[in-house]
């Protein structure tokens, strides 16, 4: 049985190309303003001129690809007043369209901005791990799309034993908030979670993680 | 969902997280083997000119593509498409698709057209072509560079003209030839003077796993080689396996620098050759050069190995140590002032390169796309030459990483009776003053002087008619003069910036609307061909380029010669049979190949080490240079520099020495335009392909990269609209204020579509509003990263 489905992001292989995002857009026909998976650049440091005109730099930058983490303690489920947001017996957190009234409490609660509001339909939408692909024995579309093979999907314990359980890195929030089913192999220049040394560059993406600001 | 289905997952997911085992390129799999084709799935391909080639799988329902996916991992060798291929559905069904033939009704470039029938459009095209040939000769007909369908075989668009159009023209007496590319004109022209031959190869990128140190001058495969069977993937794996230290030297903190590099060294654009000279100074004075290799494999290093007929003091060693005519030692202190890299860091870098055995030194193509690009690219090759890293595993020539090319038949173009050839960048000059252009003034080849101006332009699957060519405003002025170029034919999928300048505008199919073969590009040690099947019927009235050319051929009385009695399908079958002779492993029936989708072949010579035979025995395996050796000093260039007509601020020296770029960091013009502007490849487009696609625009905005110090000086904040300008034009664009670019340098991602507003300022973010049509001295190539500009808050 699928018990605790999880994503692993190998940040040392992720160049921030956003193919995972495009695969998700194509598969789900996502309208403008909704992205179930996002990639943000986290960068900081300075590149400046010394007194003699030469350059000095301590710049760092890395990318973080993030979708819904189908958390063990999903704050979106806890904050839903209608019971529309549920985590099922297979670990998938999804919205019941019939029960959702579009109040957006889940969106405000989620530190990953995973639930997103579909203004046209007047309700929330989110990643469901490509339920139909899982049925066919395939990983979610974003995972198999990655040209650099930086994304992986499977049981949390299996991924943890293969890749190790690293601490999360900036700009990800403290794991204790929701216990996300997300493992990351940190980028070589990754800053620790909670660090304010960089800022998020997210182009026109909706829903960047909110524990840090630009 | 019922319990049984979840049990099925359970088994499958177990497989997904299992180690898939072995394979140097293969890490850990969370993938299964490729799922079988669903009903109505067809294999097709992404054919843009990115340097990769990826398989696409179109899911077709009721004649409509409903989804696109790609090849999943197969033992680490999957042509997994990047976001640009995955966005193909919205490129195919773009609202600005050209629907039917159109003829210009307004002024040229105004973008006003009327609908025409195919018969009317083709009759007019044939009559104008006849007129051009009869009045001005075959030399007046030019096939402009187009790279929008680069990967295709039969419908290929190409830097020297699409083979389908070339064959048509050759049936009619030929056409003006062109040479070079917008990608690497200076490198292609210059490096053979050092190493001989026509193209200087590099070690594959996977060789960095065998190096103690890798140094990239520019080179950003993380963005320019993104496909799953490409350099970015292979570099990531090789670095992980070996832990090899990587240093990236680039004015911009590229995604390669960010993701893979141990250190980023920012440098001023156009000064790479100065950096190399100073590195050479340290290598020579600290005795870190490979004297044996230099003595047996090179000429021109010291005064004892110079070619005849050159005065004393011209050797490389003399030049570097200040014993040559300029009496200037190329010390780290000398280079510091030019490059912006502290002398101390130059010294340390030279020692690191000298100590690393072996060392992998490679260059991207950005540093040669400069006014002094020929010198930059030759200079970088000096580092592996001085340290003896050529022709060995883990070393490199200093060129860009090499790759394997699989044999496959091409569409036969027949012989072109016209001998005249121009550098492809010089086509606007050939429109304006072709009859004045000669070998020694403008790089004309095949003849001493062009017999005619360009009077007829074919522009197929390309945006170099205005957008990707330099100085768009000047190009527009040249093109609107109808007394010069009489006819412009554009064949494309969508209303590009170039299409607006057509007289006859024809709707071409995308590669998803026809069968074709797509060949691999830069894929290290795997070659492959994708059998790309038509996914949907041609949209609207769009037609294949072959059918368009065959119809024109028929109108001009060469129908039989053109088709040889075949239709397009007949030619595909013919090319398949030809290719089976080259690749006996191909399935007997072409249909089976189309069902399989992709045919792969490992490089039989992997690991490929260019110049290995020369390295082993330079006497038995000489290079194709006059001396048979690596020519640090090129007598051929020395002679060219004395016979060609060059500007007062231009030189073609015999040595790979630093020549300051006009409009570069040392140009007094910086008092007016203080900032250096370069243009990087964005991830959301392949050159100009995809700028109209809404999904790709959602991924990343077109923005001007600028350093916080430059922004603060001008009161510019992140996201502000700015006006970036010089004497050639102005662009209105939001600023991306980021430390990821050196102070004094701006970067505007290339390829955005030219969209001039009423006041002339471009609102599309097209860098070529600011670039110059002045060519580089030797290649007569496009110096599109050599620009001085000013920027202000809009």
């Amino acid at each position: 049985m699928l018990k605790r489905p999880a994503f692993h992001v190998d940040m040392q292989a992720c160049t921030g190309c956003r193919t995972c995002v495009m695969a998700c857009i194509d598969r789900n026909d996502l309208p403008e303003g909704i992205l179930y998976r996002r990639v943000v650049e986290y960068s900081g440091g300075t590149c400046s001129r010394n007194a003699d005109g030469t350059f000095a730099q301590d710049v760092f930058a890395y990318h973080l690809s993030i979708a819904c983490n189908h958390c063990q303690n999903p704050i979106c489920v806890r904050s839903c007043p209608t019971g529309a947001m549920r985590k099922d017996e297979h670990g998938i957190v999804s919205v019941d369209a019939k029960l959702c009234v579009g109040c957006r409490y889940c969106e405000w609660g989620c530190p990953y901005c995973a639930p997103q509001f579909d203004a046209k339909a007047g309700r929330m939408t989110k990643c469901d791990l490509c339920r139909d692909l899982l049925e066919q024995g395939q990983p979610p579309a974003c995972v198999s799309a990655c040209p650099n093979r930086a994304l992986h999907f499977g049981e949390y314990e299996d991924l943890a034993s293969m890749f190790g359980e690293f601490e999360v890195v900036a700009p990800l929030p403290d794991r204790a908030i929701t216990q996300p089913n997300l493992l990351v192999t940190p980028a070589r220049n990754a800053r620790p979670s909670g660090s304010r040394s960089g800022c998020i560059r997210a182009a026109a993406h909706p829903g960047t993680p909110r524990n840090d600001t630009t | 969902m019922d319990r049984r289905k979840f049990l099925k997952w359970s088994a499958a997911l177990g497989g997904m997280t299992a180690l898939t085992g072995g394979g140097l390129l293969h890490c850990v799999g969370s993938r299964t083997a490729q799922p079988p084709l669903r009903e109505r799935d067809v294999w097709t391909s992404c054919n843009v000119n990115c340097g990769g080639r990826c398989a696409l799988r179109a899911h077709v329902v009721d004649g409509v593509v409903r989804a696109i996916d790609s090849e999943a991992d197969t033992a680490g060798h999957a042509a997994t498409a990047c976001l640009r291929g995955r966005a193909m559905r919205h490129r195919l069904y773009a609202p600005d698709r050209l629907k039917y033939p159109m003829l210009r009704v307004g002024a040229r470039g105004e973008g006003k057209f009327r609908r025409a029938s195919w018969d009317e459009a083709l009759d007019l095209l044939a009559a104008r072509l006849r007129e051009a040939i009869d009045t001005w000769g075959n030399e007046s007909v030019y096939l402009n560079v187009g790279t929008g369908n680069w990967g295709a075989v039969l419908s290929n668009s190409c830097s020297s003209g699409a083979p389908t159009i070339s064959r048509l023209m050759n049936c009619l007496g030929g056409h003006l030839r062109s040479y070079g590319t917008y990608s690497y004109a200076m490198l292609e022209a210059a490096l053979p003077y050092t190493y001989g031959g026509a193209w200087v190869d590099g070690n594959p990128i996977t060789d960095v796993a065998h190096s103690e140190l890798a140094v990239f001058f520019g080179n950003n495969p993380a963005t320019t080689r993104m496909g799953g069977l490409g350099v970015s993937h292979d570099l990531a794996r090789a670095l992980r396996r070996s832990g090899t230290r990587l240093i990236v030297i680039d004015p911009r903190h590229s995604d390669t620098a960010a993701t893979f590099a141990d250190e980023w060294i920012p440098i001023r654009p156009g000064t790479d050759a100065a950096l190399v000279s100073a590195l050479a100074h340290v290598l020579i004075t600290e005795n870190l050069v490979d004297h044996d290799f230099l003595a047996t494999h090179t000429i021109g290093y010291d005064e004892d190995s110079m070619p005849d007929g050159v005065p004393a003091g011209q050797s490389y060693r003399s030049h570097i140590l200040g014993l040559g005519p300029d009496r200037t030692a190329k010390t780290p202190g000398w280079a510091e002032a030019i490059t912006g890299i502290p002398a101390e860091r130059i010294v340390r870098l030279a020692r690191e390169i000298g100590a690393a055995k072996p060392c992998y030194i490679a260059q991207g193509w950005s540093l040669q796309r400069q006014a002094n690009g020929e010198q930059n690219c030759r200079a970088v090759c000096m580092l592996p030459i001085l340290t003896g890293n050529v022709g060995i595993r883990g070393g490199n020539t200093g060129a860009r990483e090499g790759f394997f090319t699989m044999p496959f038949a091409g569409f036969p173009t027949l012989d072109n009776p016209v001998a005249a050839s121009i550098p492809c960048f010089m086509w606007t000059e050939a429109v304006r003053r072709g009859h004045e252009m000669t070998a020694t003034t403008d790089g004309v080849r095949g003849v001493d002087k062009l017999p005619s101006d360009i009077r007829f332009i074919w522009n197929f699957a390309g945006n170099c008619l205005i957008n990707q060519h330099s100085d768009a405003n000047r190009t527009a002025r040249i093109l609107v003069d109808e007394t010069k170029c009489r006819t412009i034919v554009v064949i494309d999928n969508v209303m590009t910036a170039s299409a607006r300048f057509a007289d006859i505008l024809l709707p071409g199919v995308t590669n998803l609307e026809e069968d074709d073969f797509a060949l691999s590009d830069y894929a290290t040690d795997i070659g492959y061909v994708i059998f790309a099947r038509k996914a949907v019927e041609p949209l609207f009235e769009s037609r294949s380029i072959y059918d368009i050319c065959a119809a024109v051929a028929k109108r001009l009385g060469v129908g039989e010669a053109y088709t040889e009695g075949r239709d397009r399908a007949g030619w595909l079958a013919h090319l398949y049979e030809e290719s089976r002779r080259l690749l006996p492993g191909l399935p007997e029936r072409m249909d089976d190949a189309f069902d399989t989708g992709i045919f792969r072949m490992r490089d039989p010579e992997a690991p490929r080490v260019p110049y290995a035979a020369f390295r082993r025995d330079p006497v038995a395996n000489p290079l194709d240079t006059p001396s048979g050796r690596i020519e640090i000093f090129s007598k051929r260039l020395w002679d060219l520099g004395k016979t060609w007509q060059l500007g007062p601020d231009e030189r073609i020296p015999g040595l790979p020495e630093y020549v300051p770029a006009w409009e570069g960091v040392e140009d007094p013009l910086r008092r007016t335009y203080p900032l250096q502007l370069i243009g990087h490849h964005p991830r959301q487009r392949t050159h100009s392909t995809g700028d109209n696609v809404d999904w790709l625009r959602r991924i990343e905005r077109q923005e001007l990269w600028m350093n916080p110090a430059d922004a603060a000086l001008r009161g510019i904040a992140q996201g502000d609209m700015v006006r970036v300008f010089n004497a050639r034009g102005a662009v209105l664009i939001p600023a991306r204020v980021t430390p990821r670019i050196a102070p004094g340098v701006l970067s505007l991602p290339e390829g955005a579509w030219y969209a001039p507003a009423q006041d002339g300022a471009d609102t599309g973010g097209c860098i070529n509003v600011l670039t110059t049509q002045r060519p580089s001295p030797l290649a007569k190539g496009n110096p599109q990263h050599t620009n001085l500009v000013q920027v202000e808050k809009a």
Side-chain angles (χ1 to χ4, degrees):
Chain A
M1 285 289 292
L2 186 66
K3 290 182 201 132
R4 198 180 165 187
F7 288 114
H8 169 253
V9 186
D10 179 355
M11 295 172 72
Q12 293 177 12
C14 174
T15 61
C17 77
R18 290 156 173 82
T19 302
C20 49
V21 179
M22 189 58 71
C24 182
I25 290 174
D26 180 63
R27 174 149 197 96
N28 297 297
D29 265 320
L30 294 180
E32 180 87 50
I34 295 181
L35 293 175
Y36 296 164
R37 181 172 281 282
R38 286 111 35 223
V39 176
V40 297
E41 174 195 308
Y42 189 74
S43 56
T46 59
C47 180
S48 56
R49 277 197 195 89
N50 296 314
D52 62 2
T54 58
F55 299 133
Q57 67 88 16
D58 60 354
V59 173
F60 72 92
Y62 53 87
H63 294 93
L64 186 64
S65 170
I66 191 141
C68 173
N69 299 307
H70 300 269
C71 305
Q72 289 303 90
N73 184 10
I75 201 165
C76 57
V77 172
R78 277 186 279 143
S79 49
C80 177
T82 69
M85 192 68 82
R86 280 187 297 212
K87 184 173 174 73
D88 68 21
E89 68 273 31
H90 310 294
I92 302 173
V93 176
S94 57
V95 195
D96 185 336
K98 291 193 290 293
L99 294 176
C100 178
V101 295
C103 69
R104 307 179 74 164
Y105 287 1
C106 55
E107 181 189 356
W108 297 334
C110 175
Y112 306 97
C113 293
Q116 290 172 21
F117 185 60
D118 181 342
K120 209 171 161 193
R123 59 180 175 80
M124 304 307 297
T125 57
K126 67 181 293 300
C127 160
D128 69 350
L129 294 178
C130 293
R131 208 182 268 271
D132 54 335
L133 282 180
L134 295 188
E135 267 189 77
Q136 298 159 32
Q138 298 300 314
C142 52
V143 171
S144 42
C146 179
N148 259 17
R149 285 74 149 170
L151 285 176
H152 305 97
F153 174 77
E155 283 287 351
Y156 186 94
E157 286 75 17
D158 295 340
L159 292 171
S161 65
M162 253 188 296
F163 298 105
E165 283 186 273
F166 293 92
E167 291 297 313
V168 297
V169 300
L172 286 169
D174 189 336
R175 295 185 69 92
I177 303 170
T178 63
Q179 292 173 267
N181 287 311
L182 171 72
L183 296 114
V184 294
T185 300
R188 55 175 73 198
N189 52 14
R191 297 313 197 251
S193 179
S195 164
R196 297 260 166 179
S197 57
C199 66
I200 294 170
R201 281 290 153 73
H205 294 178
T208 52
R210 280 209 308 258
N211 77 320
D212 212 334
T213 53
T214 49
Chain B
M1 198 162 300
D2 65 29
R3 186 180 166 78
R4 202 167 52 82
K5 278 184 178 162
F6 271 87
L7 286 169
K8 216 167 80 185
W9 292 12
S10 155
L13 290 172
M16 280 188 222
T17 47
L19 281 161
T20 45
L24 297 182
L25 296 168
H26 206 62
C27 182
V28 184
S30 60
R31 293 138 183 271
T32 57
Q34 186 69 44
L37 285 177
R38 291 165 296 188
E39 198 182 349
R40 295 175 306 230
D41 275 0
V42 295
W43 284 111
T44 178
S45 55
C46 183
N47 289 356
V48 295
N49 177 23
C50 67
R53 185 73 51 238
C54 295
L56 298 179
R57 210 166 54 156
H59 183 52
V60 184
V61 180
D62 297 332
V64 176
V65 177
R66 297 289 185 187
I68 293 273
D69 65 10
S70 186
E71 201 187 20
D73 207 342
T74 46
H77 304 301
T80 309
C82 81
L83 73 160
R84 300 179 294 236
R86 304 286 300 222
M88 189 66 204
R89 185 153 63 95
H90 271 217
R91 204 182 133 204
L92 172 66
Y93 296 121
D96 54 348
R97 275 293 297 262
L98 299 173
K99 298 179 176 60
Y100 30 74
M102 292 195 285
L103 302 177
R104 176 168 65 86
V105 292
R108 191 182 274 163
E110 208 181 358
K112 288 187 181 153
F113 299 92
R114 71 168 172 86
R115 182 175 180 171
S117 70
W118 269 104
D119 275 339
E120 185 189 8
L122 292 172
D123 286 347
L124 180 65
L125 196 169
R128 292 284 193 89
L129 187 54
R130 184 83 267 164
E131 180 199 15
I133 293 171
D134 291 348
T135 316
W136 301 289
N138 287 78
E139 290 86 350
S140 72
V141 179
Y142 185 65
L143 279 54
N144 205 14
V145 168
T147 69
N149 201 4
W150 188 259
V153 170
L154 186 46
S155 293
N156 175 262
S157 65
C158 174
S159 59
S160 54
T164 40
I165 303 173
S166 188
R167 181 183 175 91
L168 167 65
M169 290 313 306
N170 293 342
C171 288
L172 295 166
H175 59 91
L176 179 62
R177 296 167 189 256
S178 67
Y179 67 88
T181 76
Y182 284 80
S183 294
Y184 45 72
M186 290 72 148
L187 179 125
E188 192 177 31
L191 290 198
Y193 287 99
T194 304
Y195 284 105
W199 176 255
V200 176
D201 206 357
N203 291 41
I205 200 76
T206 43
D207 248 20
V208 301
H210 304 279
S211 316
E212 283 189 13
L213 173 70
V215 181
F216 288 0
F217 287 76
N219 208 13
N220 181 19
T223 310
T224 60
R225 299 282 184 267
M226 296 204 304
L229 252 173
V231 176
S232 177
H233 169 262
D234 291 351
L235 174 64
R237 290 297 170 275
L239 289 175
R240 167 156 305 170
R241 189 155 67 92
S242 60
T244 301
R245 183 170 156 76
L246 171 65
I247 296 171
V248 172
I249 300 162
D250 196 317
R252 197 176 66 96
H253 186 248
S254 65
D255 285 335
T256 297
T259 311
F260 300 127
D262 294 272
E263 187 180 352
W264 169 50
I265 300 180
I267 184 172
R268 295 200 181 105
T271 66
D272 303 81
L275 170 61
V276 171
S277 291
L279 292 169
H281 191 275
V282 179
L283 291 168
I284 292 168
T285 54
E286 299 194 2
N287 200 27
L288 294 168
V289 299
D290 186 335
H291 291 290
D292 291 342
F293 180 75
L294 289 170
T296 50
H297 289 72
T298 73
I299 64 157
Y301 172 67
D302 55 27
E303 295 297 319
D304 297 335
S305 66
M306 290 295 285
D308 293 338
V310 181
Q314 295 290 341
S315 73
Y316 189 73
R317 192 170 176 281
S318 298
H319 172 76
I320 296 297
L321 297 181
L323 309 171
D326 68 0
R327 294 283 142 191
T328 305
K330 310 303 177 301
T331 61
W334 167 84
E336 170 183 282
I338 299 167
T339 61
I341 303 172
E344 171 278 325
R345 185 66 195 94
I346 296 174
V347 171
R348 205 151 36 85
L349 179 60
R351 289 173 185 161
E352 287 175 85
I353 290 171
K357 302 290 177 197
C359 186
Y360 186 97
I361 291 172
Q363 61 182 303
W365 294 336
S366 48
L367 47 142
Q368 56 92 49
R369 227 178 279 117
Q370 293 267 359
N372 56 359
E374 292 94 346
Q375 293 303 100
N376 288 329
C377 65
R378 285 173 72 213
V380 170
C381 292
M382 281 311 299
L383 294 173
I385 292 168
L386 288 170
T387 53
N389 275 299
V390 178
I392 57 171
R393 271 213 103 176
N396 190 21
T397 53
R400 197 166 177 178
E401 65 279 348
F403 58 97
F404 173 55
T405 303
M406 198 173 74
F408 204 84
F411 184 63
T413 58
L414 306 175
D415 291 329
N416 182 358
V418 171
S421 181
I422 58 168
C424 70
F425 182 60
M426 297 296 281
W427 70 269
T428 30
E429 289 308 288
V431 169
R432 215 169 61 83
R433 53 170 187 92
H435 60 283
E436 295 174 5
M437 290 168 66
T438 70
T440 58
T441 55
D442 299 284
V444 170
R445 290 182 187 169
V447 292
D448 291 335
K449 195 168 181 296
L450 282 192
S452 166
D453 299 349
I454 290 174
R455 298 291 194 161
F456 186 109
I457 295 174
W458 286 96
N459 194 88
F460 166 59
N463 219 342
C464 288
L465 190 65
I466 186 86
N467 211 79
Q468 300 303 94
H469 190 59
S470 291
D471 201 343
N473 292 327
R474 184 174 194 263
T475 308
R477 288 194 298 274
I478 291 170
L479 290 181
V480 296
D481 183 354
E482 293 177 45
T483 66
K484 290 291 187 182
C485 183
R486 298 301 179 94
T487 307
I488 298 174
V489 177
V490 172
I491 304 141
D492 215 315
N493 307 140
V494 288
M495 187 58 96
T496 62
S498 292
R500 297 174 65 84
F501 283 82
D503 300 321
I504 301 170
L505 180 52
L506 304 176
V509 295
T510 69
N511 68 300
L512 265 63
E513 295 153 77
E514 61 183 353
D515 293 338
D516 214 326
F517 315 118
L519 302 182
S520 57
D521 216 343
Y522 301 87
T524 307
D525 55 5
I526 299 251
Y528 54 99
V529 51
I530 300 163
F531 294 93
R533 182 167 264 168
K534 178 162 82 172
V536 293
E537 290 302 317
L539 296 188
F540 310 104
E541 291 185 16
S542 61
R543 284 193 188 175
S544 171
I545 185 65
Y546 175 85
D547 294 335
I548 292 169
C549 290
V552 174
K554 190 177 170 196
R555 279 167 171 76
L556 293 174
V558 292
E560 265 305 301
Y562 188 81
T563 64
E564 294 181 20
R566 298 187 182 96
D567 60 4
R568 191 176 186 281
W571 275 106
L572 277 178
H574 173 71
L575 294 180
Y576 187 78
E577 284 311 310
E578 296 279 304
S579 300
R580 281 194 65 219
R581 276 187 231 161
L582 303 166
L583 288 169
L586 284 175
E588 199 175 315
R589 294 177 56 250
M590 186 169 71
D591 255 6
D592 293 339
F594 274 99
D595 285 343
T596 310
I598 184 163
F599 176 85
R600 259 171 271 258
M601 176 183 173
R602 253 197 184 283
D603 181 357
E605 289 173 41
R608 197 172 278 263
V609 180
Y611 304 99
F614 165 71
R615 177 64 189 254
R616 274 194 307 276
D617 188 344
V619 178
N621 309 294
L623 298 181
D624 184 22
T625 56
S627 63
R629 294 184 179 192
I630 292 172
E631 301 207 336
I632 296 172
F633 183 98
S634 169
K635 177 72 166 34
R636 290 184 292 170
L637 286 177
W638 167 269
D639 291 341
L640 273 185
K642 301 211 173 309
T643 49
W644 279 23
Q645 293 175 43
L646 302 170
D649 50 357
E650 289 179 331
R651 285 202 299 130
I652 300 178
L655 285 175
E657 63 190 70
Y658 171 64
V659 176
W662 41 258
E663 214 173 320
V665 70
E666 298 182 65
D667 193 319
L669 186 64
R670 277 190 74 199
R671 286 196 286 273
T672 315
Y673 300 114
L675 299 166
Q676 291 186 278
L677 173 75
I678 58 173
H680 63 272
H681 290 208
R683 59 171 70 90
Q684 71 271 27
R685 288 187 301 273
T686 303
H687 305 304
S688 77
T689 306
D691 197 37
N692 62 315
V693 176
D694 58 346
W695 280 356
L696 289 169
R697 283 178 165 250
R698 226 187 270 178
I699 289 295
E700 187 104 39
R701 279 199 308 183
Q702 175 72 356
E703 294 169 320
L704 177 77
W705 286 45
M706 67 186 306
N707 185 277
D710 296 319
L713 201 63
R714 293 164 176 82
I716 294 165
Q718 162 68 21
D720 281 354
M721 281 300 286
V722 300
R723 184 169 173 271
V724 48
F725 62 96
N726 59 18
R728 293 180 287 268
V731 177
L732 291 167
I733 188 85
R736 179 191 184 105
V737 179
T738 171
R740 295 184 63 188
I741 190 156
V745 185
L746 305 173
S747 187
L748 185 56
E750 59 105 17
W753 290 6
Y754 176 57
Q758 289 296 335
D759 66 353
D762 173 58
T763 57
C766 177
I767 187 175
N768 286 318
V769 169
L770 303 162
T771 57
T772 178
Q773 285 183 6
R774 182 176 177 186
S776 68
L778 173 68
K780 308 298 178 193
N782 47 317
Q784 284 165 313
H785 302 305
T786 302
N787 311 288
L788 291 179
V789 298
Q790 178 57 291
V791 63
E792 63 189 16
K793 200 165 165 174

